[in-house]
Structures are given as C-alpha cells and as structure tokens.
Amino acid sequence: MLNETTVKALVSAATEARNKSYSPYSGFSVGAALLTNDGKIFTGANIESASFSPTVCAERVAFFTAVHNGERNFSAIAVVGGKSNEEISSYCAPCGVCRQVMCEFCSPDFQVILYDGKEPRIFTLSQLLPESFVKANME
Ligand code: THU
C-alpha cells in the first residue's frame, strides 16, 4: 500500500507535469506521475495534434517515457486534469486506452491516484478495468 507521503509526492509531480501540457484544442491540461517499484518517478502531460487522433494522453506519455528508459515494474500513477489555466477542481479518470496500456505493464493491484484539489481517491487497476484482455489471454 502507498503511504501518505508517497501519494502527496506523486500528486505534486503530476500537478507540476501538467504545466507542460500542449492542449490548444481541448483547453484541458492533464499531468501524470508514474512510480516505479524502486522509487523512481516518470512524468507526462497530454500532447495534442491539429488532426486530433494523434493526441496522446498524459498517462501514456509517462508510461512510454519510463518503458523507453528501461523500466518495466510500476506500482502507482497519479493523474490530475482540468481546464487549462485553472486549478484542479475535479477528478480526471484515465481513458480506456490508457487503462489498457496500464494493463500491459502493471499487475491488477497497481494503484491509480486521482485528485480533485482536495482529497486523493485511490483505485486499483482491476477496479478500473475488470476482465481485461492481456498477453496471457493469447497463450
Ligand atoms: N486526457 C489525458 O491526457 N488523460 C486522461 O486521463 C483523459 C484525457 C487528455 C486527452 C486530450 O488531450 C484532453 O485530455 C481532452 O480529452
């Protein structure tokens, strides 16, 4: 389980990362901070495109950056999102595609921390994506 200090550090890193969002089309900025099992933090922010579909969510930027740096074992991610240039005031849950990417690299007890500017809410990956399709389904 995550302790309070770790949750705060991840929320703070995600909030800082959110400042790097490139989201001129939605006006919605998201930040994510991903924790490896050995305590490293990798961050991401959403990056949009004029043709829309190439847009990548903050969570996937964090995951792909970490995986590209050789990381494969993750314990938690914090996600914060809201209207650009406004403080966080509601929870931003990961989209379905990001949940699937989490399933690729994480166990069902991976922790997903959401934050509304007041109270963190913590879910397991299996709560957010039950009955997921993974590599084992093809073996
Ligand atoms: N977005 C994320 O980065 N993560 C989420 O969890 C939800 C949505 C981004 C994608 C797009 O740039 C903007 O938020 C609006 O959908």
Side-chain angles (χ1 to χ4, degrees):
M1 279 301 287
L2 296 166
N3 63 39
E4 208 182 309
T5 309
T6 306
V7 171
K8 278 194 178 145
L10 287 172
V11 167
S12 164
T15 305
E16 176 75 28
R18 183 175 173 251
N19 294 325
K20 306 229 177 75
S21 166
Y22 175 75
S23 42
Y25 305 105
S26 70
F28 191 85
S29 300
V30 185
L34 176 63
L35 180 68
T36 66
N37 284 359
D38 58 358
K40 290 186 214 115
I41 294 176
F42 289 83
T43 58
N46 55 328
I47 300 172
E48 299 185 344
S49 160
S51 78
F52 291 11
S53 66
T55 291
V56 185
C57 292
E59 297 91 321
R60 273 175 286 150
V61 171
F63 263 94
F64 295 157
T65 301
V67 170
H68 182 65
N69 277 279
E71 303 293 338
R72 291 290 186 280
N73 300 298
F74 305 102
S75 52
I77 191 168
V79 183
V80 297
K83 286 189 182 149
S84 307
N85 305 318
E86 287 184 17
E87 297 287 303
I88 295 297
S89 59
S90 58
Y91 295 105
C92 173
C95 79
V97 174
C98 289
R99 294 178 197 205
Q100 184 67 35
V101 168
M102 290 174 195
C103 276
E104 186 66 34
F105 296 105
C106 306
S107 58
D109 64 349
F110 177 74
Q111 311 270 291
V112 180
I113 304 160
L114 308 184
Y115 186 63
D116 67 346
K118 296 182 263 310
E119 273 299 308
R121 291 183 70 192
I122 304 180
F123 299 88
T124 62
L125 181 53
S126 61
Q127 284 176 309
L128 296 183
L129 193 61
E131 301 301 327
S132 57
F133 180 77
V134 291
K135 189 165 169 264
N137 292 109
M138 291 183 282
E139 290 167 351

